[in-house]
């Protein structure tokens, strides 16, 4: 690295001296390294040593001074000096595409053996020797593979689900509850546990009855386990003879076992249920996380598995005369792509997947194109041209190719200054053959950079949790403090009662009231909240799937509700990604004998043939005037074309009735032909028939005899077609770039069929119209013909029947003759084509404006194209408004000071970024997040994966998107439509509102339970509810209604509200006060019904508050005992009554929770049918448990401590529970009044 930076910064004599020193180092290395090839050393050393100054000067021209070294994941240990020079040189240089080929192949870089022909001065790449490849693979570069992060198991994701504050709180409560349950279990089991343990202890210590088995022969765990099993059998088996086991009868043992199992379940039911719920929730969340973690593995699947390379070997041959000689042998062998190293010479053929980042050295065909859609997301194939490094003197870059080179290089950034000469790993060759040299492998490739970005973004994603997760953590913190304070306060307030005579010792009293405090904690905690949230999000994903949104990560459903910025791509998202001809330019004769250039608007979108051309009659004009220019336009558009439109009577995908096969631009011409008509008259409306009826007829009537393929020099394509009524020979049909095709035209045909000379005035009119179309902007294609009489003699009657290969014809065999053949043309028309905006997007953008969501369009297109589309879809104001627009090129924006960048991003209004690099998307997302925004990001290419992973919401395209982008995203659009994103935002806001409704419902219910226990504890009353009752209410009574609230319909004004702040709490201060009031009433009503029952038995409040001193300081009324009041059915009946009151109140509250502020009379529960079911089911379950003894299940009610209620009891329950509806309506009215006051204040501030 030091040597490299020195060469970059030195010049003149210093550079010359350093270069000579390096050459000496290389010479010494050649003498020592026996693996180097003799012939190769002679060739290379001769080339380099004869012109050291020129090589150094050439390097000085192409190298830029760089102060930082690119990150390297491979160790440079065990490298020879020459390897170290090449290794550092390759990694210091960040752009191998700009290095001249002569320098790239030299010892200073790749050290590729070459052979130069003396006659033609052409350089042949020989390939690396096997030993050299092995040395580079083992000691320098390592395998050509993407580094895979350690695979995580499902169990690791399950454990990760417990890293949540609310879940941890529930675990702590479960553990504390289990501890006190075991303490209580020990007290209730008494001596039974001792009877079970003592025999085991005797046997394991050898103090048994003298049996041979009493003393363990060894201390193995197997023996101990067998003794435990045997003792369990003795205890649980009842023989009927009443034999004693260690002094305990078997009948008594059976009774003890039943007693023990019952009390174990009763003591541990709370921790068991809580833990079970958390485990189920963790399983669901862990499975979801496992499915969402496969984005990086998809990158590896995109790599090529095999590659064909050249290998250079030297063989020692001894002749018959005994003279030894060395011969070079070049073999083309197939190897594993993972074994490629920089310097390998790769053979490139059509259809091949590029195995690494390769520098294109030469092509053997007229064109060489690559499909880079997996990297860029663009569907058009990219032409590739070898970059030699000396553009001015290279014949391959003269003329129009130089213009193409500049056009291709414009806007290129991270993928190299001369990306047109680079082939990137994972892309596919669509046309051509050639030879290339590997320059980057593994993590140094563009695919490796993307993987590194995905990994970094994933780590950032762990640091930036979703708004819902943050709010739940804050909620958990608040809940922990509140519960801790209340439970501690209750226990401390109960300290004087530790010495109550009811308890044998103060410690027993302390334990008792500690259990009361734990019961209070159980009442305060919404045990079912994690499961209900997961279920609600899952139900939201189902509803989104019906709107063409596939959700991959549950938390993203809620995050959509607070999305403040949508960063969207243009192609395929805002536009249809289906090129459409929207303008047809024809020449028409005027009344004065002149010629006018007339434009005709073409209606219709996508590849549907349904549409009209303004001013041109469908079918009739071609039928009435077959020699007019309209007929020739249809002929050129259909015949000079390899695309086809396919129609499906039953669409394959969402709204995809018509699809193209071929290039998008040619498909647009096919659709234009169908809109012109003239060849087929059909009344069928079936898409399969309408799709290509006229095109197929044109092609059947006029078979193609030869094709002059597209060439970037002339920018046109043409075909020879036969069987014309106007002539007996062939006609040449041409389409191409207007500026170049106009130069080769000498005449023009008018709409009525007259042919006029193409003079200067008419040329200027056509050029002016072309410029006008380009500024709108439209892609223009000129259409021209060449009649039979003007063709070369040999082409007039040329037929495929005579020569099945164009190579046999002297003119068609050489592409250099194509421009001459396509001269002397007749101009017939011009088509303006564009990728139109989706019709529904404009309204969706307006909807975003109303919802307070900004839209930022990020595209790689030119500024004019980007701004035009942005105006069409209402992202930017129309040009007629005169308003300033915020449209920046990527480089222009990021060259500004960072403070100015942040200021522009923070300013209100939409923005457009054009000529943007894929890496720019991730930078913009990070900047928006630093400003506190919640950005959603769309993408479809592999290089969009880091930005999708980085964004708060990553949205991938389901149709055009790659698997990598889909797996890195949070959700996938099944129809690639921006309007679907807006619909998903609306659904996300609705889901959050419903989630807030059921969370507040659960918390308000728990507040009521806390109030009930707190009031009874402070007043000294017996517990109106047991811990089992509280758990039943939290899970069964509250769970289904809370889940059903997730189906509440969206509010009518949900998309007219501004995005909620990401730091807004789930429960606002007003809502907290509101639910404290309702909770207080719930607590009073629950305790009131409990106390009311005892008052009806003749007890006073003072007596009830000292219930533990019954028969000590006070006596119950006549005919009543203390046990009948506070034990058995006497205690169970008032508890059943208070539980029923609590259940009824919470179900009434659920019915009232359909709307937060709207009255139950205006928005009734019938708006949500699921809520009716969610209320009915828990109520029926409660009745079933209460009356289970009458249903033949007496044990069920007994396990819950419940007894049947009379009609009078039900009247009492309704008397206490029904007023909750009045309380809710009063609080809703207060909420509506508060909202109106806030709205009026906001209006006054605006005024």
């Amino acid at each position: 690295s030091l040597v490299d930076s020195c060469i970059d910064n030195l010049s003149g004599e210093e550079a010359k001296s350093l270069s000579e020193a390096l050459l000496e180092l290389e010479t010494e290395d050649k003498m020592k390294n026996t693996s180097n090839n003799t012939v190769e050393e002679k060739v290379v050393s001769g080339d380099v040593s004869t012109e050291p100054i020129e090589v150094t000067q050439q390097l000085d021209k192409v190298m830029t001074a760089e102060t930082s070294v690119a990150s390297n994941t491979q160790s440079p240990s065990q490298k020879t000096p020459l390897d170290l020079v090449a290794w550092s040189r390759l990694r210091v240089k960040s752009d191998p595409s700009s290095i001249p080929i002569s320098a790239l192949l030299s010892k200073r870089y790749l050290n590729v053996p070459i052979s130069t022909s003396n006659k033609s001065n052409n350089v042949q790449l020989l390939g690396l020797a096997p030993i050299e490849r092995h040395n580079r693979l083992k000691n320098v570069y390592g395998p050509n593979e993407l580094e895979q992060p350690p695979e995580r198991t499902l169990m690791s994701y399950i454990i990760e689900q417990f890293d949540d504050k609310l879940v941890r709180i529930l675990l702590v409560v479960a553990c504390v509850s289990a501890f006190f349950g075991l303490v209580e279990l020990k007290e209730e089991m008494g001596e039974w546990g001792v009877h079970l343990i003592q025999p085991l202890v005797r046997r394991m210590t050898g103090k048994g009855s003298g049996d041979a088995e009493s003393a363990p022969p060894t201390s193995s765990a197997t023996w101990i386990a067998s003794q435990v099993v045997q003792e369990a059998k003795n205890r649980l088996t009842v023989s009927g003879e009443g034999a004693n086991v260690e002094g305990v009868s078997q009948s008594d043992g059976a009774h003890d076992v039943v007693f023990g199992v019952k009390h174990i379940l009763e003591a541990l039911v709370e921790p068991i249920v809580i833990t079970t719920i958390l485990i189920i929730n963790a399983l669901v969340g862990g499975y979801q996380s496992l499915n969402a973690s496969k984005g990086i593995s998809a990158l590896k699947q995109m790599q090529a598995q095999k590659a064909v390379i050249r290998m250079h070997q030297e063989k020692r041959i001894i002749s018959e005369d005994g003279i030894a000689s060395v011969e070079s042998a070049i073999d083309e062998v197939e190897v594993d792509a993972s074994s490629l190293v920089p310097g390998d010479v790769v053979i490139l053929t059509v259809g091949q997947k590029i195995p690494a980042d390769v520098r294109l050295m030469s092509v053997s065909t007229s064109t060489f194109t690559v499909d880079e859609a997996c990297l860029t997301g663009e569907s058009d194939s990219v032409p590739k041209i070898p970059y030699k490094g000396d553009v001015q003197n290279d014949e391959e870059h003269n003329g129009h190719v130089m213009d193409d080179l500049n056009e291709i290089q414009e806007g290129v950034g991270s993928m190299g200054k001369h990306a047109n000469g680079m082939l990137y790993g994972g892309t596919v060759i669509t046309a051509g053959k050639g030879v290339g040299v590997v320059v980057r492998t593994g993590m140094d490739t563009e695919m490796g950079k993307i993987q590194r970005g995905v990994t970094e973004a994933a780590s950032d994603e762990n640091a930036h949790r979703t708004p819902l997760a943050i709010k739940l953590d804050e909620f958990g913190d608040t809940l922990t403090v509140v519960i801790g304070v209340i439970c501690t306060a209750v226990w401390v307030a109960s300290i004087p009662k530790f010495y109550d005579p009811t308890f044998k010792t103060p410690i027993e009293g302390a334990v008792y009231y500690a259990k009361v405090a734990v019961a209070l904690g159980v009442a305060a905690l919404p045990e079912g909240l994690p499961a209900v949230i997961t279920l609600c999000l899952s139900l939201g994903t189902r509803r989104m799937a019906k709107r063409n949104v596939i959700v991959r990560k549950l938390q993203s459903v809620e995050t959509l509700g607070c999305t403040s910025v949508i960063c969207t791509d243009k192609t395929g998202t805002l536009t249809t990604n289906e090129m459409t001809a929207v303008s047809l330019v024809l020449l028409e004769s005027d009344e004065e004998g002149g010629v006018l250039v007339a434009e005709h608007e073409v209606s219709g979108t996508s590849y549907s043939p349904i549409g009209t051309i303004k001013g041109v009659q469908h079918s009739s004009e071609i039928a009435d005037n077959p020699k007019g220019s309209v007929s020739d336009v249809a002929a050129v558009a259909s015949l000079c074309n390899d695309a086809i439109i396919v129609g499906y009577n039953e669409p394959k995908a969402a709204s995809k009735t018509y699809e193209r096969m071929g290039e998008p631009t040619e498909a647009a011409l096919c659709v234009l032909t169908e809109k012109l008509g003239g060849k087929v008259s059909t009344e069928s409306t079936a898409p399969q028939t309408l799709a290509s009826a006229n095109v197929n007829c044109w092609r059947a009537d006029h078979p193609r005899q030869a094709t002059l393929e597209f060439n970037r020099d002339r920018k046109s394509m043409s075909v020879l077609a036969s069987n014309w009524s106007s002539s007996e020979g062939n006609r040449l049909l041409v389409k191409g770039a207007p500026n170049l095709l106009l130069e080769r035209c000498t005449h023009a045909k008018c709409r009525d069929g007259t042919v006029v000379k193409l003079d200067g005035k008419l040329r200027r009119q056509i050029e002016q119209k072309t410029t006008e179309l380009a500024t709108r902007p439209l892609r223009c294609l000129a259409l021209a013909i060449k009649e039979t009489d003007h063709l070369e003699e040999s082409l007039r009657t040329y037929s495929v029947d005579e020569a099945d290969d164009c190579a046999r014809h002297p003119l068609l065999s050489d592409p250099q003759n194509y421009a001459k053949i396509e001269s002397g043309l007749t101009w017939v028309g011009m088509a303006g084509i564009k990728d139109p905006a989706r019709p529904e997007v404009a309204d969706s953008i307006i909807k975003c404006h109303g919802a307070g969501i900004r839209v930022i369009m990020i595209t790689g297109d030119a500024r004019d194209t980007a701004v035009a589309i942005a105006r069409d879809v209402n992202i930017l104001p129309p040009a007629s408004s005169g308003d300033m627009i915020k449209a920046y090129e990527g480089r222009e924006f990021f060259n500004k000071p960072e403070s100015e960048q942040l200021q522009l991003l923070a300013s209100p209004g939409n923005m457009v970024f054009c000529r943007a690099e894929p890496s720019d998307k991730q930078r913009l997302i990070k900047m928006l997040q630093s400003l506190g925004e919640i950005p959603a990001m769309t993408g479809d290419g592999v290089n969009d994966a880091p930005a999708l992973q980085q964004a708060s919401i990553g949205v991938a395209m389901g149709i055009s998107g790659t698997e990598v982008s889909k797996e890195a995203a949070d959700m996938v659009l099944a129809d690639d439509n921006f309007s679907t994103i807006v619909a998903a935002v609306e659904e996300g806001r609705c889901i959050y509102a419903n989630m807030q409704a059921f969370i507040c419902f659960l918390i308000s219910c728990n507040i009521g339970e806390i109030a009930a226990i707190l009031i009874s504890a402070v007043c000294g009353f017996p517990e109106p509810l047991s811990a089992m009752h509280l758990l039943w209410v939290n899970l069964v009574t509250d769970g289904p209604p809370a889940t059903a609230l997730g189906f509440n319909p969206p509010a009518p004004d949900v998309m007219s509200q501004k995005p909620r702040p990401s730091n807004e709490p789930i429960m606002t201060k007003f809502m907290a006060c509101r639910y404290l009031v309702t909770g207080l009433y719930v607590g009073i009503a629950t305790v009131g019904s409990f106390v009311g029952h005892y008052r009806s038995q003749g007890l006073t409040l003072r007596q009830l508050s000292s219930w533990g001193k019954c028969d000590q300081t006070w006596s119950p009324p006549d005919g009543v005992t203390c046990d009948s009041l506070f034990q058995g059915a006497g205690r169970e009946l008032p508890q059943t009554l208070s539980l029923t009151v609590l259940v009824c109140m919470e179900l009434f509250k659920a019915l009232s929770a359909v709307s937060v502020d709207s009255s139950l009379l205006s928005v009734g529960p019938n708006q949500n049918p699921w809520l009716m079911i969610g209320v009915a089911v828990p109520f029926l379950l409660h009745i079933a448990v209460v009356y289970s003894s009458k249903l033949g299940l007496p044990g069920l009610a007994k396990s819950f401590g419940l007894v049947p209620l009379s009609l009078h009891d039900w009247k009492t329950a309704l008397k206490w529970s029904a007023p909750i509806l009045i309380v809710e309506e009063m609080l809703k009215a207060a909420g509506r009044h508060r909202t109106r006051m806030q709205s009026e204040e906001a209006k006054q501030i605006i005024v």
Side-chain angles (χ1 to χ4, degrees), residues 62-194:
V62 299
M63 297 179 196
T64 56
E66 298 182 5
T67 58
S68 61
V69 180
S71 60
N72 175 33
T73 58
Q74 309 196 19
S75 173
S77 59
Q78 299 180 351
K79 296 184 178 69
T80 64
L82 181 57
D83 288 332
L84 284 172
V85 172
W87 176 82
S88 63
R89 180 58 89 175
L90 280 173
R91 281 165 173 75
V92 169
K93 199 64 187 178
S94 61
D95 184 9
S97 68
S98 63
I99 304 173
I101 287 182
S102 57
L104 185 69
L105 301 178
S106 69
K107 286 270 184 164
R108 298 184 185 282
Y109 282 95
L110 297 179
N111 190 20
V112 180
I114 59 176
S115 176
T116 305
S117 173
N118 294 331
K119 295 182 180 180
S120 60
N121 201 30
N122 291 330
V123 175
Q124 181 185 13
L125 303 177
L126 303 179
L128 299 178
I131 298 179
E132 177 64 18
R133 292 189 72 252
H134 176 75
N135 179 49
R136 296 189 185 191
L137 179 65
K138 182 178 180 181
N139 300 325
V140 183
Y141 302 105
N144 176 34
E145 296 177 342
L146 299 181
E147 293 180 357
Q148 299 296 311
E151 287 192 13
R152 295 185 59 183
T153 62
L154 176 61
M155 182 57 65
S156 67
Y157 285 109
I158 293 175
I159 295 174
E160 189 180 69
Q161 303 305 308
F162 290 92
D163 188 20
D164 182 270
K165 290 186 179 179
L166 184 58
V167 172
R168 290 199 295 266
I169 294 171
L170 289 171
L171 284 175
V172 170
V173 171
C175 292
V176 174
S177 178
F179 171 76
F180 286 112
L182 292 175
V183 171
E184 183 180 4
L185 180 66
K186 178 178 178 299
E187 295 175 355
E188 294 183 356
M189 290 182 65
E191 297 297 326
W192 183 83
V194 177

Side-chain angles (χ1 to χ4, degrees), residues 148-300:
Q148 299 296 311
E151 287 192 13
R152 295 185 59 183
T153 62
L154 176 61
M155 182 57 65
S156 67
Y157 285 109
I158 293 175
I159 295 174
E160 189 180 69
Q161 303 305 308
F162 290 92
D163 188 20
D164 182 270
K165 290 186 179 179
L166 184 58
V167 172
R168 290 199 295 266
I169 294 171
L170 289 171
L171 284 175
V172 170
V173 171
C175 292
V176 174
S177 178
F179 171 76
F180 286 112
L182 292 175
V183 171
E184 183 180 4
L185 180 66
K186 178 178 178 299
E187 295 175 355
E188 294 183 356
M189 290 182 65
E191 297 297 326
W192 183 83
V194 177
H195 289 313
L196 179 62
I197 297 298
Q198 282 181 349
L200 294 177
V201 174
R202 291 195 192 100
R203 292 194 178 190
M204 287 184 282
T205 56
K207 298 180 180 180
S209 58
D211 296 339
E213 297 178 1
S214 62
T218 64
S219 59
S220 68
T222 304
W223 183 87
I224 296 174
S226 66
Q227 299 306 307
V228 172
V229 172
Q230 183 61 38
E231 185 60 27
K233 290 180 179 179
N234 295 337
R235 287 290 172 185
L236 299 176
T237 302
V238 180
S239 63
E241 297 181 1
N244 292 338
V245 179
E246 297 295 334
V248 180
S249 67
Q250 290 183 349
S251 59
D252 293 340
H255 176 270
D256 288 343
V257 167
V258 174
F259 173 81
V261 171
K262 174 185 175 182
H263 282 73
I264 288 174
L265 292 177
E266 289 181 354
L268 300 180
V269 64
E270 295 171 14
I272 289 174
V273 172
I274 293 175
T275 305
T276 302
I277 292 174
L278 295 180
I279 290 175
I280 294 174
N281 187 67
L283 289 173
V284 174
Y287 181 74
Q288 290 283 343
S289 299
L290 181 65
N291 288 339
S293 64
K294 300 176 181 178
I296 293 178
S297 61
L299 281 170
K300 187 173 182 179

Side-chain angles (χ1 to χ4, degrees), residues 514-535:
K515 290 192 294 182
V516 173
V518 171
L520 190 63
V522 173
L525 280 174
E527 291 89 351
L529 183 57
V532 173
I533 289 176
T534 301
L535 182 59

Side-chain angles (χ1 to χ4, degrees), residues 1111-1147:
D1111 279 342
Q1112 297 179 11
T1113 60
W1114 61 274
S1115 299
D1118 295 339
V1120 180
T1121 64
C1122 292
D1123 289 342
S1124 64
L1125 286 174
F1126 304 112
Q1127 301 294 331
R1131 176 76 168 269
E1132 291 172 350
L1133 179 57
Q1135 284 190 337
T1136 304
L1137 183 60
S1138 61
L1139 177 62
T1140 302
V1141 170
L1142 179 62
V1143 168
C1144 291
M1145 283 190 294
E1146 296 193 354
L1147 295 180

Side-chain angles (χ1 to χ4, degrees), residues 10 24 119 121 180 227 244 258 316 319 361 369 388 599 667 776 809 821 857 882 920 948 999 1005 1025 1162:
L10 296 179
E24 292 177 3
K119 295 182 180 180
N121 201 30
F180 286 112
Q227 299 306 307
N244 292 338
V258 174
R316 185 180 179 86
S319 64
M361 296 287 111
T369 58
K388 303 296 184 181
E599 180 183 357
R776 280 158 51 173
H809 193 283
I821 297 174
M857 186 175 81
D920 294 343
L948 293 173
I999 289 176
C1005 293
L1025 300 168
S1162 60

Side-chain angles (χ1 to χ4, degrees), residues 571-573 938-940 955-962 965-966 971-974 976-977 981:
T571 305
T573 308
T938 69
D940 53 8
V955 184
M957 302 295 107
I959 298 175
S960 62
T962 60
S965 65
K966 294 175 187 177
M971 58 183 57
V972 180
L973 301 184
D976 292 10
N977 195 338
I981 304 176

